[in-house]
Amino acid sequence: MMYGKGEERDLEIEGINLGHDGKDERLERDRSSSWFVDEKDSLREPLLSKNNRINNTSQLAIVGANVCPIESLDYEINENDLFKQDWRSRTKVEICQYMAIKWILALIIGLSTGLVGFCNNIAVENVAGFKLLLTNNLMQKQRYHLAFAALAAGNMILGIAAAALCAYIAPAAAGSGIPEVKAYLNGVDAHSILAPSTLFVKIFGSIFGVSAGLVVGKEGPMVHTGACIANLLGQGGSRKYHLTCKWLRFFKNDRDRRDLITCGAAAGVAAAFRAPVGGVLFALEEAASWWRSALLWRTFFTTAVVAVVLRGFMEFCRAGRCGLFGEGGLIMFAVNSSRPIYGTPDLLVVIFLGVIGGLLGSLYNFLIKKVVRTYSVINEEGPMRKLLLVLAVTFLTSCCSFGLPWISQCIPCPASAGDRCPTVGRYGHYKSFQCPPNHYNDLASLFFTTNDDAIRNLFISGNDKKFQLSSLLIFFVAMYFLGIVTYGIAVPSGLFIPVILAGASYGRLAGRLLSSITVLDVGLFGLLGAASFLGGTMRMTVSICIILLELTNDLLMLPLVMLVLLISKSVADCFNNGVYDQIMRLKGLPYLEAHPEPYMRQLIASDVVSGPLFTFSGVEKVKNIMCALRGTGHNGFPVLDEPPLTDAPELCGLVLRSHLLVLLKNRRFFKQKGMNSSAIMRNFKAYDFMKPGSGKGLKLEDLEINEDEMEMFVDLHPITNTSPYTVVETMSLAKAAILFRELGLRHLLVVPQTTGRHPVVGILTRHDFMPEHVLGLYPHLNPHKQRE
């Protein structure tokens, strides 16, 4: 057995804990082992000392204000002897069954996500509708102080309910959830981000948060909800609850779960916006790091099921059988009846709108980064601080919603509105607020309603409703800054709706100011303003374009929406990254970008591999395996065949920590050192080594091995992946990073360029590609320092 350089450092179960300073915090463990030395010394020199370095990057991420160890996912197919035997033994019927189950699960994901999305909207419409009706009735009786008390109390109760769920049950449910889903599909498994408790809190916390009048959306949480539903269905059954069936065992691996979670994320977008095609494109453009044609078909099928489910339930509610659920919520189609007719001056105005949207979007991202960083310090103080922060933001929002409409002047009702103005009842565009009969308050029509209805008001044609310039300016400023201060509190909160509200208001304001040089309707300007602001913050183009067009049912706007999105994204990219990328970086999630950093082309693979490296022989002593597992948190170990089995040391493959634990747990040991693969193959099946649901696998503490068994041997060949991905040590680090990301790897073996050397130079893992690690080793390559 040989021990040497680097390996996977992104998991903190047992053994050496390499934190921010890279120092060993548990050297006191197992000092009797042959590869530990005195406390003041470090580990023994590896075989290739020039790569004896420690990865100093963090293995911790912030999950709902809690700092938790993170882990990578095994998307690679582990082709060991047991896996090959399992695939050879499968009949055509079982293979067809496996494919059929994938489609059935996609169907169930679509049905479940569509049902949750619809119930979410019903709950928001009824809870928020009851609160607003109560306040409106008090306003009509001129009991203004009592109306404000009712509105503020209702909002604060709902806000505290959402915050309490996040603070005490599932901290991972706070925020949008899109950065976590995006990181998971990239190969990062943060703690509890897709757990059943997170799903529960995400659903009910989103309902309470949106109903509380906070400037948040349910769209981001719906993406997270769809991913949680898919993860729950893709657990492959449960041994604990005796729900394990043979056909469910196929999905006990990260590779199939990744496909299902991709379908769930797309279904969440489709359920939130009623945009099935937009959901597919969102998963392709923003969420997924890995794609193929078969996944495209299944994702499209899932979102189509969501669309059918929503349409069926909405037809059921159209007759008023769902309480206050009416024309709000999911129904945002055909909100503008104006036909877009435009010429060259109009295109110049659209370009100007895109530039402004890019500038505002980049500033928005900058301010959100500062606010989230500040809130993280407050949230770390404990649940009570989280509740107090939510209480303060909710009260501020209530004051703005009730107080700012008093600034606006009352406007006479248009003659075409008839008895629809002012609005009396559950839904309408003309809110009376404090106005006399036959008048309405345009600012109250935006503040004193649900977010979805406010968007409909901003998208509506200028001929149908007019807004004062002062009202649009006040609403834009309020939505812009309330959206910033609200994001980061301990409630499920999406960014789509706040961004659309702010963008649509400044777009409509620009349309009013530039009405002398453009023929476009101000309602269409509201749509273009929303698109420009979305492009400036989210940095998505194709998916946002299709989502907006599916929302408004206006394909004639396609060229203008495409133009404004391209311009706003290009302008904003000059200043900072997209909002979700910034949040992932703040949370510490080690996300691998599609394009490597330029300085990576100046380095080769062997320049960044870390030490020490731990290797096993093909037939290894139990004691040596236990010492390695106790002394390190590594998750993959190279396996070597050595003399007398071979003439010289040869790389046999890679064995996973989880597989070693299963093998040791079942005590398939032998007294003599020799090949015993046949006995292992008879006593184990590939299913025994599959990944358990929700990460509830074996731990080192579960093993009970006596002293006699420690001196016995175990054959690792049947569980060793004999075809691991390898790169030569002279490959550029940039090329290795692209290979690592595109294949969804967890371990990438680095082999020597010349013969006669040790078969393995090191192992590249996710953290070896992180800028903190690379630039920590080679600070002269830091582009920021070079600019200074």
Side-chain angles (χ1 to χ4, degrees):
M1 180 178 181
M2 290 176 288
Y3 299 98
K5 301 183 304 286
E7 214 284 335
E8 171 99 349
R9 291 153 307 279
D10 61 342
L11 181 62
E12 275 193 350
I13 34 177
E14 282 298 318
I16 298 176
N17 175 7
L18 302 178
H20 294 277
D21 57 357
K23 295 180 180 178
D24 179 7
E25 298 175 3
R26 294 190 182 178
L27 280 177
E28 71 277 9
R29 183 189 294 272
D30 291 293
R31 298 195 178 277
S32 59
S33 301
S34 61
W35 46 282
F36 276 111
V37 293
D38 188 74
E39 181 174 351
K40 294 182 179 180
D41 297 328
S42 60
L43 294 174
R44 185 176 297 175
E45 284 293 318
L47 296 174
L48 299 173
S49 60
K50 70 171 185 155
N51 289 325
N52 183 21
R53 58 173 67 99
I54 297 299
N55 189 318
N56 295 328
T57 60
S58 172
Q59 304 113 52
L60 304 175
I62 299 175
V63 181
N66 292 333
V67 179
C68 303
I70 57 174
E71 182 180 353
S72 291
L73 297 166
D74 292 304
Y75 289 149
E76 179 186 358
I77 295 177
N78 199 309
E79 289 188 337
N80 54 38
D81 293 342
L82 287 169
F83 173 84
K84 294 175 183 176
Q85 182 188 57
D86 179 65
W87 271 102
R88 286 193 296 265
S89 63
R90 289 189 183 182
T91 63
K92 289 185 178 180
V93 174
E94 289 179 324
I95 294 175
C96 292
Q97 185 184 44
Y98 168 71
M99 298 302 299
I101 293 169
K102 279 191 171 184
W103 287 97
I104 292 173
L105 288 177
L107 172 65
I108 297 174
I109 291 170
L111 293 172
S112 304
T113 307
L115 178 61
V116 169
F118 180 74
C119 293
N120 191 311
N121 277 274
I122 288 181
V124 169
E125 290 289 315
N126 282 276
V127 174
F130 174 79
K131 177 192 66 179
L132 293 174
L133 280 177
L134 175 62
T135 308
N136 186 62
N137 291 335
L138 293 172
M139 291 287 293
Q140 290 180 350
K141 298 177 182 178
Q142 297 184 355
R143 303 175 68 179
Y144 301 126
H145 293 88
L146 189 59
F148 172 72
L151 178 67
N155 287 343
M156 293 168 71
I157 291 173
L158 291 170
I160 287 296
L165 288 174
C166 289
Y168 292 102
I169 298 179
S176 170
I178 292 179
E180 287 82 357
V181 173
K182 186 176 178 180
Y184 185 95
L185 295 177
N186 189 257
V188 179
D189 188 13
H191 180 70
S192 298
I193 59 173
L194 299 177
S197 59
T198 304
L199 172 62
F200 172 80
V201 174
K202 206 74 180 184
I203 295 174
F204 290 96
S206 177
I207 292 173
F208 293 146
V210 176
S211 301
L214 293 170
V215 186
V216 298
K218 54 184 178 294
E219 288 67 28
M222 272 306 304
V223 174
H224 197 177
T225 298
C228 289
I229 291 173
N231 181 67
L232 185 63
L233 293 173
Q235 292 296 310
S238 171
R239 290 181 178 180
K240 180 179 179 181
Y241 299 104
H242 306 289
L243 297 175
T244 300
C245 300
K246 183 178 181 180
W247 57 273
L248 284 174
R249 298 175 183 176
F250 298 145
F251 296 92
K252 284 189 173 292
N253 62 85
D254 290 326
R255 189 181 182 88
D256 285 319
R257 288 178 192 170
R258 173 182 62 182
D259 291 353
L260 293 176
I261 290 170
T262 303
C263 293
V269 175
F273 291 108
R274 271 192 65 199
V277 179
V280 175
L281 294 175
F282 173 85
L284 173 61
E285 182 180 6
E286 180 67 10
S289 298
W290 188 83
W291 200 265
R292 69 183 190 280
S293 58
L295 181 59
L296 176 66
W297 275 101
R298 265 193 296 277
T299 307
F300 185 75
F301 170 71
T302 305
T303 57
V305 171
V306 172
V308 172
V309 170
L310 293 178
R311 170 57 64 182
F313 278 109
M314 289 171 62
E315 289 297 329
F316 173 79
C317 289
R318 196 172 294 277
R321 288 175 285 190
C322 297
L324 296 175
F325 183 78
E327 295 295 322
L330 293 165
I331 308 175
M332 292 172 65
F333 281 79
V335 294
N336 201 318
S337 58
S338 301
R339 297 182 62 84
I341 302 174
Y342 49 88
T344 302
D346 304 298
L347 294 177
L348 295 176
V349 171
V350 170
I351 292 173
F352 170 76
L353 202 62
V355 173
I356 297 300
L359 295 174
L360 290 174
S362 60
L363 177 62
Y364 194 85
N365 292 357
F366 173 79
L367 295 176
I368 276 188
K369 182 179 179 180
K370 299 297 183 183
V371 169
V372 171
R373 193 185 298 274
T374 303
Y375 284 176
S376 65
V377 177
I378 299 175
N379 291 333
E380 287 175 1
E381 298 296 327
M384 286 305 301
R385 292 294 181 91
K386 296 181 182 180
L387 298 182
L388 291 175
L389 180 60
V390 172
L391 200 64
V393 174
T394 305
F395 183 74
L396 173 64
T397 305
S398 301
C399 291
C400 292
S401 299
F402 189 87
L404 291 179
W406 290 89
I407 303 175
S408 178
Q409 297 179 353
C410 295
I411 303 175
C413 291
S416 59
D419 58 357
R420 293 183 290 113
C421 180
T423 298
V424 178
R426 55 185 176 179
Y427 171 78
H429 296 297
Y430 306 94
K431 298 295 183 182
S432 174
F433 203 63
Q434 88 290 6
C435 294
N438 298 322
H439 288 72
Y440 72 96
N441 188 313
D442 58 344
L443 199 51
S445 301
L446 298 176
F447 275 114
F448 219 64
T449 185
T450 61
N451 292 334
D452 292 335
D453 288 343
I455 293 174
R456 290 173 57 87
N457 282 332
L458 291 169
F459 283 177
I460 199 170
S461 172
N463 297 325
D464 298 330
K465 185 176 181 180
K466 296 185 182 296
F467 288 95
Q468 301 174 85
L469 290 176
S470 58
S471 298
L472 291 172
L473 179 60
I474 292 171
F475 186 74
F476 164 67
V477 173
M479 289 297 104
Y480 191 91
F481 289 102
L482 283 177
I484 292 171
V485 300
T486 304
Y487 193 83
I489 62 176
V491 298
S493 54
L495 278 173
F496 272 97
I497 291 300
V499 169
I500 291 176
L501 284 170
S505 57
Y506 91 76
R508 195 173 181 105
L509 176 63
R512 286 285 304 276
L513 294 174
L514 301 174
S515 59
S516 60
I517 59 175
T518 180
V519 297
L520 289 176
D521 183 78
V522 291
L524 299 179
F525 265 98
L527 174 62
L528 293 174
S532 68
F533 203 5
L534 284 168
T537 54
M538 311 293 181
R539 312 297 163 84
M540 293 179 281
T541 53
V542 180
S543 56
I544 288 180
C545 178
I546 299 304
I547 287 172
L548 289 176
L549 293 179
E550 287 185 287
L551 276 177
T552 58
N553 198 25
D554 197 349
L555 285 176
L556 295 177
M557 288 292 292
L558 177 61
L560 296 181
V561 174
M562 292 174 64
L563 178 62
V564 77
L565 278 170
L566 288 171
I567 293 173
S568 62
K569 180 185 184 302
S570 301
V571 171
D573 281 339
C574 298
F575 298 96
N576 50 33
N577 295 324
V579 63
Y580 296 134
D581 294 327
Q582 290 188 165
I583 293 171
M584 280 193 296
R585 178 61 63 88
L586 286 174
K587 288 178 176 290
L589 298 171
Y591 184 83
L592 288 177
E593 299 290 347
H595 302 287
E597 298 291 341
Y599 56 77
M600 289 187 177
R601 302 193 181 277
Q602 305 178 43
L603 302 172
I604 60 175
S606 62
D607 288 335
V608 298
V609 289
S610 308
L613 172 70
F614 301 93
T615 66
F616 293 128
S617 298
V619 180
E620 189 59 83
K621 183 179 287 189
V622 174
K623 180 179 180 180
N624 293 337
I625 298 176
M626 289 295 295
C627 287
L629 295 180
R630 286 172 178 168
T632 179
H634 301 174
N635 289 281
F637 302 87
V639 177
L640 307 180
D641 280 335
E642 302 169 314
L645 296 178
T646 57
D647 296 334
E650 295 178 356
L651 176 63
C652 177
L654 187 79
V655 64
L656 298 180
R657 181 189 187 94
S658 59
H659 292 183
L660 288 171
L661 292 173
V662 173
L663 196 62
L664 295 175
K665 177 70 174 178
N666 288 271
R667 293 184 173 83
R668 298 300 173 182
F669 309 141
F670 307 96
K671 294 184 178 180
Q672 302 297 324
K673 185 174 183 179
M675 300 280 288
N676 295 281
S677 298
S678 57
I680 301 293
M681 299 290 287
R682 287 194 305 269
N683 290 281
F684 288 94
K685 301 295 182 184
Y687 170 70
D688 297 324
F689 296 90
M690 289 182 178
K691 185 173 182 177
S694 299
K696 302 296 190 299
L698 282 174
K699 297 182 180 179
L700 196 60
E701 296 84 355
D702 300 328
L703 303 183
E704 298 178 359
I705 300 176
N706 56 44
E707 293 297 328
D708 293 335
E709 291 173 328
M710 285 287 191
E711 301 301 322
M712 300 177 73
F713 296 88
V714 60
D715 189 356
L716 302 181
H717 289 96
I719 64 171
T720 299
N721 180 10
T722 55
S723 58
Y725 286 97
T726 61
V727 296
V728 69
E729 60 181 338
T730 55
M731 176 181 285
S732 72
L733 188 62
K735 189 174 182 180
I738 294 174
L739 178 68
F740 193 94
R741 185 185 191 273
E742 293 299 323
L743 295 176
L745 302 181
R746 185 176 188 177
H747 310 93
L748 183 60
L749 296 180
V750 181
V751 297
Q753 184 183 23
T754 58
T755 59
R757 297 167 55 190
H758 189 261
V760 184
V761 174
I763 299 181
L764 289 172
T765 62
R766 177 175 298 271
H767 286 276
D768 291 314
F769 297 103
M770 291 295 104
E772 295 82 1
H773 174 58
V774 179
L775 297 178
L777 296 174
Y778 306 98
H780 64 280
L781 298 178
N782 193 331
H784 299 290
K785 290 186 177 180
Q786 291 176 0
R787 285 197 293 267
E788 293 175 359

